[in-house]
Amino acid sequence: MKKELKIAATIFVVVFIIDQVVKYGFANLGWDVDGPYMSLKLAYNYGVAFSMFSFLEHYLKYIQLVIVLIATIYLFMNKTVFKEYYLPIALLFAGGLSNILDRFTYGGVVDYFYWHYGFEFAIFNFADVMIDLGVVIIIYKQIKQSREEKKKNGI
């Protein structure tokens, strides 16, 4: 368990710092770049994915902090879950807490990746990608585990 915690903490710190440094550059140093397929353009998201719940703009950071606190308590009480999923948990917590920090620092989440070739896609950031990667890893592990159980039970 100690090894997993060290790895998770390292991943958390690295992802969190990279995300915050990049966001600082876009928010304060004007790192915007226009491209033919994708642009790097500063935008603030006052809601969650695709700006949903933006009407909760001022309360969202507190709601999200409560969710992170509940998840932390759950993991503390279920150490086997953490041991099994420490990598995606580190990615989820780093991305989630970095986005929450944006809400306190900038008033909204700093987004900057803007895909606009062929179709326009939502603007997102590195933390969002890490959150998505964490979810994909969890889903992959769940599918793999389900298949192994079916094979073991002869189904």
Side-chain angles (χ1 to χ4, degrees):
M1 178 71 161
K2 218 172 199 177
K3 180 183 107 180
E4 291 86 1
L5 187 58
K6 283 182 182 180
I7 293 169
T10 302
I11 290 168
F12 174 88
V13 169
V14 169
V15 169
F16 188 89
I17 289 173
I18 289 170
D19 188 58
Q20 284 298 306
V21 167
V22 172
K23 287 175 178 176
Y24 180 86
F26 279 97
N28 297 296
L29 304 175
W31 285 2
D32 290 10
V33 177
D34 285 323
Y37 305 107
M38 184 185 88
S39 296
L40 301 173
K41 216 173 235 342
L42 174 63
Y44 293 97
N45 184 349
Y46 301 103
V48 293
F50 307 105
S51 296
M52 291 186 301
F53 306 115
S54 57
F55 64 92
L56 292 172
E57 169 186 351
H58 301 294
Y59 305 103
L60 208 46
K61 57 190 165 199
Y62 301 111
I63 293 168
Q64 290 175 322
L65 277 176
V66 168
I67 291 168
V68 169
L69 179 63
I70 291 168
T72 303
I73 292 168
Y74 173 82
L75 291 171
F76 185 74
M77 295 172 64
N78 296 281
K79 290 178 174 65
T80 56
V81 173
F82 178 80
K83 189 170 183 166
E84 175 78 20
Y85 295 98
Y86 68 92
L87 174 63
I89 288 169
L91 296 172
L92 289 168
F93 272 59
L97 286 171
S98 185
N99 282 345
I100 292 170
L101 179 60
D102 289 359
R103 293 184 189 286
F104 284 98
T105 307
Y106 303 108
V109 176
V110 176
D111 287 333
Y112 46 85
F113 286 122
Y114 174 49
W115 180 268
H116 52 77
Y117 181 75
F119 62 94
E120 290 192 22
F121 192 70
I123 300 176
F124 56 99
N125 62 42
F126 180 68
D128 298 336
V129 173
M130 293 298 102
I131 291 167
D132 292 343
L133 179 60
V135 170
V136 166
I137 293 169
I138 290 170
I139 291 169
Y140 171 78
K141 288 176 78 71
Q142 287 289 303
I143 291 170
K144 184 178 173 188
Q145 182 181 9
S146 175
R147 287 182 178 166
E148 287 172 1
E149 285 178 16
K150 285 180 181 178
K151 189 185 260 187
K152 182 180 171 184
N153 295 330
I155 297 174

